[in-house]
């Protein structure tokens, strides 16, 4: 992120889009845009960008873009979909840029393969057990594509998904069942398999998910509301029975209830959000979720990393019902549009929460002997689950060191808990570094620098396997990485 000029905040942008000003330069007309026409608009003072087939005039947005003008210019006069997906596919650009819409790209004629349409018409016939094999797939691809079946007893409906992969666990399965709509997504590496069905009959709120990790089988067990025989499971929804790249799938949200709000420091709160009864979702270590709020009529989305309710000093396995809540440690900024709105939520209010995302893999940590965690401010949040995971599960671990940068002593999150953990577990060490300490501070002070790091980041033995994780504001992270 770059510092924006005064008067260029998100709220200022929202107000400008509602002012009635012509932001496209086309006086409200929508046009069809050719590739040649798009390419002409490639300068800061005249910049068009295409995202998913729609063209936007982002010239007026230049000074409001949190990532800076240079980032936007990378896609000037071009299709910026891939670049956008890499950096922030979670941003609701349709809502943010609706007043900048120039029109659609002209579509090149494409010959549709016959197999696809015939496979789709078969798909529509009935969701009655195994689905027709896709004729368009070669034999080897078909063998690896997940499939599903379903059966029933007097009181239960059981949907069985055969992933044909071995390492499926509770964290890779997300199931939502609300209002006769069943959505089950299974993440397998960088692909995801989805079943999405409008159920024939009503089911009860609670459901069970069973996972046989060794054979890669997932069972979703629903309880019938009425003791009747189902003729079919239901009707397929748009993305049903698809196996595609995770990045090609839209984010799915469910409404979670705010059940508690606790002060952590003078400006940071711990929110506890309860998942709906018909949801199975566990956020993997090192991954984040998105919260969505409508602010002044515009949909705004922000990512947050879930934490644990506290730092467990005994490191016992979490109990199964812990998955029913998501805990978020959120710093409330005085001028922060989103965090102010979050802070005004009352206990019992609902907020949409997305599926987990992120590319951190536990395998990165499993062979580490020395783990160094560099955190600044709320960059501490991803370290919480990582600490718990490594101190509980990683057998070759010799040392975990958290180097925690803050402005003042009052800003240190969970200081007491961290100090207790260091006393309890000899593998763990914490070092607090302040940039604006009071006179009586006897600890280290300064900002992240090579001299500070060389003092604290040292191997436990000459050739130990080291992993360094860093999180904080962008300048902190960039400097740390350098």
């Amino acid at each position: 992120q770059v510092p924006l000029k005064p008067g260029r905040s998100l709220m200022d942008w929202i107000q400008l889009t509602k002012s009635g000003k012509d932001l496209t330069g086309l006086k409200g007309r929508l046009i069809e845009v050719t590739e040649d026409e798009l390419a002409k608009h490639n300068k800061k003072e005249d910049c068009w960008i295409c995202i998913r087939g729609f063209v936007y005039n982002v010239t007026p947005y230049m000074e409001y873009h949190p990532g800076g003008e240079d980032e936007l210019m990378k896609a000037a006069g071009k299709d910026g979909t891939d670049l956008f997906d890499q950096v922030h596919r979670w941003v609701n650009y349709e809502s943010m840029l609706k007043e900048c819409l120039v029109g659609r790209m002209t579509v090149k004629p494409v010959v549709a393969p016959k197999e696809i349409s015939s496979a789709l018409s078969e798909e529509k016939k009935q969701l009655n057990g195994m689905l027709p094999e896709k004729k368009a797939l070669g034999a080897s691809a078909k063998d690896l594509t997940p499939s599903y079946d379903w059966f029933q007893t007097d009181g239960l409906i059981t949907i069985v998904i055969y992933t044909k992969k071995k390492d499926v666990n509770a964290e890779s399965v997300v199931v939502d069942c609300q209002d006769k709509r069943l959505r089950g997504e299974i993440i397998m590496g960088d692909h995801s398999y989805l079943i999405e069905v409008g159920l024939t009959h009503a089911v009860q709120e609670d459901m069970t998910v069973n996972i046989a990790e060794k054979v890669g089988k997932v069972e979703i067990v629903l309880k019938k509301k009425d003791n009747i025989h189902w003729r079919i499971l239901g009707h397929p929804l748009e993305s049903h029975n698809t196996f595609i790249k995770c990045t090609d799938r839209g984010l799915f949200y469910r409404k979670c209830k705010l059940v508690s709000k606790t002060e952590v420091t003078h400006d940071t709160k711990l929110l506890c959000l309860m998942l709906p009864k018909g949801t199975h979702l566990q956020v993997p270590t090192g991954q984040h979720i998105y919260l969505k709020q409508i602010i002044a009529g515009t949909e705004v989305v922000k990512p947050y990393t879930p934490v644990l309710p506290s730092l467990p000093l005994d490191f016992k396995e979490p109990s199964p019902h812990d998955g029913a809540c998501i805990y978020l440690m959120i710093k409330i900024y005085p001028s922060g549009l989103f965090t102010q709105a979050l802070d005004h939520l009352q206990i019992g209010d609902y907020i949409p929460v997305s599926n987990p995302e992120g590319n951190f893999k536990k395998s990165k940590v499993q062979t580490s002997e020395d783990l160094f965690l560099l955190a600044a401010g709320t960059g501490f949040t991803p370290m919480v689950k990582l600490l718990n995971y490594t101190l509980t599960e990683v057998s070759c671990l010799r040392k975990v060191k958290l180097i925690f940068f803050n402005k003042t002593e009052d800003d240190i999150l969970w200081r007491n808990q961290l100090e207790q953990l260091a006393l309890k577990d000899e593998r763990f060490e914490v070092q607090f570094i302040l940039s604006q300490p009071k006179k009586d501070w006897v600890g280290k002070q300064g900002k992240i620098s090579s001299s500070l790091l060389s003092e604290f980041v040292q191997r436990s033995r000459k050739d130990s396997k080291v992993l360094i994780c860093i999180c904080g504001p962008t300048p902190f992270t960039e400097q740390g990485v350098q």
Side-chain angles (χ1 to χ4, degrees):
Q1 292 202 340
V2 298
L4 296 170
K5 292 178 189 163
R8 295 293 181 270
S9 71
L10 175 58
M11 195 68 215
D12 294 317
W13 172 251
I14 290 173
Q15 282 164 351
L16 176 62
T17 63
K18 298 202 172 359
S19 65
K21 197 172 170 194
D22 175 18
L23 299 182
T24 61
L26 297 172
K27 302 189 172 65
R29 281 181 308 129
L30 287 179
I31 60 171
E32 283 225 333
V33 183
T34 62
E35 279 187 24
D36 292 345
E37 180 62 32
L38 178 64
K40 290 176 193 167
H41 302 269
N42 63 354
K43 298 173 219 46
K44 269 189 186 168
E45 59 281 1
D46 175 21
C47 180
W48 290 8
I49 289 175
C50 172
I51 306 176
R52 298 199 219 297
F54 289 94
V55 178
Y56 297 91
N57 179 358
V58 296
T59 320
Y61 185 58
M62 278 286 168
E63 294 191 344
Y64 296 85
H65 184 239
E69 296 180 4
D70 294 346
E71 282 300 307
L72 270 184
M73 287 305 295
K74 286 180 185 173
K78 297 197 284 250
D79 188 322
T81 309
D82 286 348
L83 189 67
F84 176 83
D85 281 346
Q86 282 166 30
V87 185
H88 36 33
R89 80 183 191 94
W90 44 274
V91 170
N92 187 339
Y93 63 90
E94 295 107 318
S95 184
M96 296 275 288
L97 297 176
K98 58 179 180 264
E99 298 303 323
C100 301
L101 180 64
V102 169
R104 272 180 186 272
M105 287 296 289
T106 49
V107 184
K108 293 186 187 135
V110 179
V111 182
K114 285 195 190 93
E115 298 96 323
I116 304 279
S117 53
S118 65
L120 277 174
S121 60
E122 274 186 65
E123 173 87 275
K124 288 278 188 292
K125 278 181 190 165
Q126 272 194 351
L127 276 173
N128 210 356
M130 297 297 284
L131 265 112
E133 296 288 7
K134 296 277 187 291
K135 297 190 183 91
L137 289 173
S140 59
K142 207 159 56 186
D143 295 341
L144 295 172
T145 304
S147 62
Y148 79 98
D149 201 350
W150 72 281
F151 56 87
Q152 62 186 311
T153 62
D154 285 348
L156 302 175
I157 295 284
T158 302
I159 297 122
V160 187
I161 299 164
Y162 306 97
T163 67
K164 303 175 188 174
K165 298 273 192 301
K166 281 221 172 66
D167 50 357
V168 174
N169 59 35
E171 290 182 344
S172 38
V173 178
V174 181
V175 182
D176 288 275
C177 188
Q178 267 107 32
D179 307 323
K180 286 175 67 173
R181 174 181 174 169
L182 173 71
R183 185 185 192 278
E185 185 175 0
I186 298 169
I187 310 294
M188 291 171 270
D190 56 359
H191 279 65
S192 105
Y193 177 68
L194 184 69
I195 63 163
E196 196 169 23
V197 181
L199 298 170
T200 307
H201 300 287
V203 292
Q204 292 179 35
E205 270 194 332
D206 50 336
M207 51 132 200
T208 325
V209 176
N210 303 320
I211 298 156
E213 294 191 19
K214 288 196 168 68
V215 290
K217 189 173 80 170
V218 177
E219 280 183 359
I220 302 167
V221 185
L222 309 173
K223 295 176 189 167
K224 294 178 179 177
K225 252 206 175 131
D226 305 304
N227 200 341
I228 45 179
H229 182 79
W230 290 29
R231 203 170 46 80
I232 59 168
L233 181 59
H235 62 275
L237 297 171
E238 194 182 354
S239 302
H240 175 67
N241 200 27
T242 52
F243 185 50
I244 60 173
K245 278 194 144 171
C246 296
T247 48
D248 292 338
R249 235 188 248 303
L251 281 171
F252 182 78
Y253 289 83
R254 77 280 303 141
K255 285 193 170 168
C256 293
K257 186 180 186 175
L258 178 64
V259 290
S260 73
K261 206 193 290 193
T262 325
E263 281 205 0
V264 180
T265 66
H266 61 103
D267 63 358
T268 303
K269 295 189 176 165
L270 186 69
L271 307 189
C272 175
L273 302 173
M274 194 160 78
L275 293 164
K277 264 198 175 154
T279 295
H280 165 95
L281 182 156
Q282 292 178 15
V283 183
T285 300
Q287 293 202 6
H288 52 269
I289 46 97
Y290 300 100
L291 301 183
K292 184 159 72 172
Q293 297 192 91
I294 306 289
I295 297 173
T298 297
E299 195 173 87
V300 186
V301 177
K302 287 273 192 267
Y304 292 98
T305 308
V307 297
L308 299 165
S310 64
L311 270 183
L313 301 175
D314 46 359
F315 289 112
K316 62 181 191 308
E317 278 293 284
S319 64
H321 72 263
D322 284 357
C325 285
I326 290 176
Y327 292 90
L328 300 172
M329 198 183 280
I330 293 175
K331 189 181 174 103
I332 312 294
Y333 294 93
S335 57
L337 201 58
F338 199 87
T339 60
Q340 284 293 330
L342 271 184
D343 197 30
H344 287 121
L345 287 176
Q346 302 297 311
I347 304 299
D349 285 351
Y350 286 84
I351 185 159
V353 173
S354 80
N355 280 12
E357 281 220 327
N359 51 17
F360 185 84
K361 300 276 183 285
K362 280 181 177 171
S363 53
K364 287 182 180 174
V365 206
Q366 281 158 354
T367 54
S368 297
E369 294 167 282
D370 288 340
L371 174 65
F372 294 98
L373 308 176
L374 311 180
T378 46
F380 168 63
T381 53
M383 310 308 183
V384 175
K385 281 190 171 181
L386 196 51
L387 272 175
N388 187 32
Y389 173 71
T390 49
L391 291 171
T392 321
E393 306 277 336
V394 181
S395 51
C396 52
L397 191 74
R398 291 163 165 269
K399 184 168 80 179
V400 186
K401 187 160 186 177
L402 170 67
I403 302 158
F404 196 0
F405 293 80
N406 283 283
K407 282 185 182 168
T408 69
E409 260 182 284
D410 293 340
D411 294 320
I412 301 174
L413 302 165
W414 281 357
R415 179 181 182 177
N416 195 15
Q417 294 194 39
L418 288 165
E419 288 174 339
Q420 280 185 336
L421 180 58
L423 290 171
K424 183 100 190 225
D425 195 318
E426 56 191 20
R427 295 169 299 169
F428 176 66
E429 196 184 322
V430 61
Q431 179 72 52
F432 301 114
I433 300 174
L434 302 183
S435 59
Q436 297 170 18
K438 289 191 179 135
K439 288 199 176 84
D440 58 353
W441 173 251
V442 292
K444 281 277 165 193
Q445 51 180 294
K447 292 193 169 178
I448 193 165
S449 65
S450 49
S451 59
L452 258 181
L453 292 186
S454 59
E455 187 179 339
F456 296 122
V457 180
Q458 292 174 351
R459 296 172 191 268
S460 56
R461 55 185 180 79
K462 202 167 68 183
D463 53 353
S464 65
K465 274 201 78 173
V466 173
L467 178 69
I468 303 178
C469 300
I470 183 164
C471 189
T474 309
F476 169 85
T477 308
E478 283 174 354
Q479 200 160 353
V481 168
Q482 281 174 17

